[in-house]
């Protein structure tokens, strides 16, 4: 019997998502009872840490984390703390606004299985300006489309100029549980996301919509497609404030608020 809380379920899925990336890229990783860390190597990469369980002594946890950061000589860091117990400001880090860790129970997924959506008049807010379809990326070329939409949709300036496969290499197509999705309007990419099924839950990551297609149901269609493909799994994600209303309408509820720490702070001359 799985006795994990829904927050722990989401934390473990996020850790599994990054470990899958590490295996495909050949990156070093560390797993402890309290956190998972991935040493993402590359010019545009940051080292990723996910705190997966609460630690009775935050000071001890901080020292364990700092030990890995020093050993890896971390120059850039993104650390997810869903328990809000860490204060990394003395080490040159800064925290973003809290982001909701959300879970949706299985069953009753919204209908969005790739069927076409009727065309809407161009410029009408809330509806696609053409024929909308959502499908899984099954080839390196399609995975490259997903990658391009995510880089442009967020956007991610550090990944420009764009290099296909730098973030989502073709090997991810064969990674167990890893899937990528692309939404098209009149056959052209408009949105994309990635999902990770760890055998217990399915997590949604990098849900992005290109600027010219925002507020037209693209994000909803992507999420609905993932839910429909995993009807028996709880679904997890971490949402910004802007995304929360959409996810709540789709049945997600908040189970925690994650503090995301980044290094270096801006501006800062301190070192980890």
């Amino acid at each position: 019997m799985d006795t994990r809380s829904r927050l722990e379920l989401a934390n473990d899925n996020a850790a599994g998502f990054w470990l899958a990336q590490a295996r495909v890229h050949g990156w070093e990783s560390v797993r402890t009872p309290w956190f998972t860390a991935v040493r993402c190597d590359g010019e545009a990469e940051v080292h990723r840490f996910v705190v997966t369980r609460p630690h009775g002594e935050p000071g001890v946890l901080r020292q364990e984390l700092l030990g890995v950061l020093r050993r890896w000589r971390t120059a850039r860091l993104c650390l997810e703390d869903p328990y809000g117990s860490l204060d990394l400001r003395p080490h040159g880090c800064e925290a973003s606004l809290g982001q909701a860790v959300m879970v949706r129970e299985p069953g009753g997924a919204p209908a969005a299985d790739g069927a076409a959506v009727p065309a809407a008049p161009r410029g009408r807010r809330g509806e696609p300006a053409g024929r909308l379809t959502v499908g899984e990326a099954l080839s390196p070329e399609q995975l490259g489309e997903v990658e391009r939409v995510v880089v442009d949709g967020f956007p991610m300036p550090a990944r420009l100029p764009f290099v296909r496969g730098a973030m989502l290499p073709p090997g991810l197509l064969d990674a167990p549980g890893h899937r990528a999705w692309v939404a098209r309007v009149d056959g052209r990419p408009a949105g994309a996301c990635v999902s990770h099924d760890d055998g217990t839950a399915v997590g949604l990551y990098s849900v992005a919509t290109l600027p010219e297609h925002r507020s037209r149901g693209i994000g909803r269609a992507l999420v609905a497609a993932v839910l429909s493909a995993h009807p028996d799994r709880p679904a997890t994600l971490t949402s910004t404030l802007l995304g929360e209303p959409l996810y709540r309408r789709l049945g997600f509820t908040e189970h925690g608020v994650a503090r995301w720490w980044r290094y270096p702070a801006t501006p800062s001359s301190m070192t980890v």
Side-chain angles (χ1 to χ4, degrees), residues 120 157 189 222 237 243:
L222 284 164
L237 55 81

Side-chain angles (χ1 to χ4, degrees), residues 12 17 21 64 74 79 81 117 127 147 153-154 162 164 173 193-194 234 242 250 257:
D12 288 346
F17 171 84
Q21 298 272 340
E64 291 182 16
T74 296
L79 183 147
D81 175 16
V117 176
E127 297 183 8
E147 185 176 19
F154 269 94
F162 177 75
R164 196 177 84 176
L173 293 169
C193 71
V194 178
L242 290 175
L250 289 171
V257 177

Side-chain angles (χ1 to χ4, degrees), residues 1-17:
M1 179 179 177
D2 194 334
T3 60
R4 290 176 294 173
S5 70
R6 284 315 196 219
L7 180 57
E8 291 170 345
L9 199 75
N11 300 342
D12 288 346
N13 191 277
F17 171 84

